[in-house]
């Protein structure tokens, strides 16, 4: 297994991810793990790039910073309106004012990441991941830059 360790470089510059994956793919059938940056907003693009494994580190880090994930963006919890709340168990507890907001945010963020993984897996199986990634570019400069660079290579 290959592990991409320059996570901050990948976050700042999506071309680093693409170039790294292209060089690692020269050795076929070896999984590539990208720790630390998978969020619902970028997961489809990460998978489209050729990454095989991700983790929940971004869910933890963002929860510690009071950030609430939606499928398309990250919002400070103070900017989350009731119409955005997803209805997961953690959101139900948050809406009731339960303590331990950080833990509940983490559980919510993980729930949304898992739901997005289900969508990505479904699109991948159906051969529709590229179209889904294109739709994600409207919400994220990172996704947009990645897809532009990807298209230059291919």
């Amino acid at each position: 297994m290959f592990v991409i360790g320059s996570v901050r470089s990948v976050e700042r510059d999506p071309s680093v991810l693409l170039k790294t994956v292209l060089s690692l793919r020269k050795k076929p059938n070896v999984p590539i793990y990208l720790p630390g940056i998978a969020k619902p907003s970028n997961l489809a693009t990460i998978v489209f790039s050729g990454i095989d494994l991700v983790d929940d580190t971004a869910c933890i880090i963002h929860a510690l910073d009071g950030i609430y994930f939606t499928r398309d963006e990250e919002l400070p919890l103070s900017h989350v309106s009731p119409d955005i709340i997803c209805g997961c168990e953690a959101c139900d507890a948050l809406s009731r004012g339960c303590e331990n907001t950080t833990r509940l945010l983490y559980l919510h963020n993980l729930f949304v990441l898992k739901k997005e993984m289900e969508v990505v897996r479904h699109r991948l199986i159906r051969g529709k991941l590229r179209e889904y990634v294109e739709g994600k570019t409207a919400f994220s400069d990172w996704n947009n830059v990645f897809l532009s660079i990807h298209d230059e290579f291919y």
Side-chain angles (χ1 to χ4, degrees), residues 37-104:
I37 71 165
K39 303 177 283 190
S41 62
N42 67 12
L43 182 63
T45 304
I46 289 170
V47 172
F48 182 73
S49 76
I51 296 298
D52 301 296
L53 301 166
V54 297
D55 62 25
D56 66 344
T57 303
C59 295
I60 297 166
I61 292 168
H62 283 75
L64 288 168
D65 290 338
I67 302 298
Y68 181 94
F69 285 173
T70 70
R71 286 184 53 202
D72 298 316
E73 61 185 339
E74 298 81 44
L75 301 169
L77 186 57
S78 60
H79 289 77
V80 176
S81 61
D83 60 317
I84 294 177
I85 301 283
C86 77
C88 69
E89 289 181 28
C91 283
D92 288 343
L94 282 169
S95 67
R96 290 192 312 271
C98 289
E99 297 294 318
N100 204 349
T101 303
T102 301
R103 177 170 160 55
L104 293 172

Side-chain angles (χ1 to χ4, degrees), residues 21-151:
V21 171
L22 288 173
S23 68
L24 293 176
R25 284 290 170 215
K26 291 177 183 172
K27 187 170 184 177
N29 301 320
V30 177
I32 302 173
Y33 170 41
L34 178 64
I37 71 165
K39 303 177 283 190
S41 62
N42 67 12
L43 182 63
T45 304
I46 289 170
V47 172
F48 182 73
S49 76
I51 296 298
D52 301 296
L53 301 166
V54 297
D55 62 25
D56 66 344
T57 303
C59 295
I60 297 166
I61 292 168
H62 283 75
L64 288 168
D65 290 338
I67 302 298
Y68 181 94
F69 285 173
T70 70
R71 286 184 53 202
D72 298 316
E73 61 185 339
E74 298 81 44
L75 301 169
L77 186 57
S78 60
H79 289 77
V80 176
S81 61
D83 60 317
I84 294 177
I85 301 283
C86 77
C88 69
E89 289 181 28
C91 283
D92 288 343
L94 282 169
S95 67
R96 290 192 312 271
C98 289
E99 297 294 318
N100 204 349
T101 303
T102 301
R103 177 170 160 55
L104 293 172
L105 266 177
Y106 163 70
L107 292 172
H108 161 78
N109 289 348
L110 182 61
F111 174 81
V112 177
L113 183 65
K114 287 179 177 180
K115 287 294 185 185
E116 183 66 9
M117 180 60 81
E118 291 172 12
V119 171
V120 168
R121 187 176 295 122
H122 176 74
R123 301 283 179 143
L124 187 60
I125 290 168
R126 291 185 49 226
K128 301 290 184 185
L129 185 57
R130 165 67 191 227
E131 292 83 356
Y132 189 63
V133 170
E134 287 174 357
K136 289 283 193 174
T137 63
F139 301 101
S140 163
D141 290 339
W142 191 89
N143 290 336
N144 197 5
V145 169
F146 174 87
L147 201 55
S148 297
I149 294 166
H150 177 273
D151 289 348

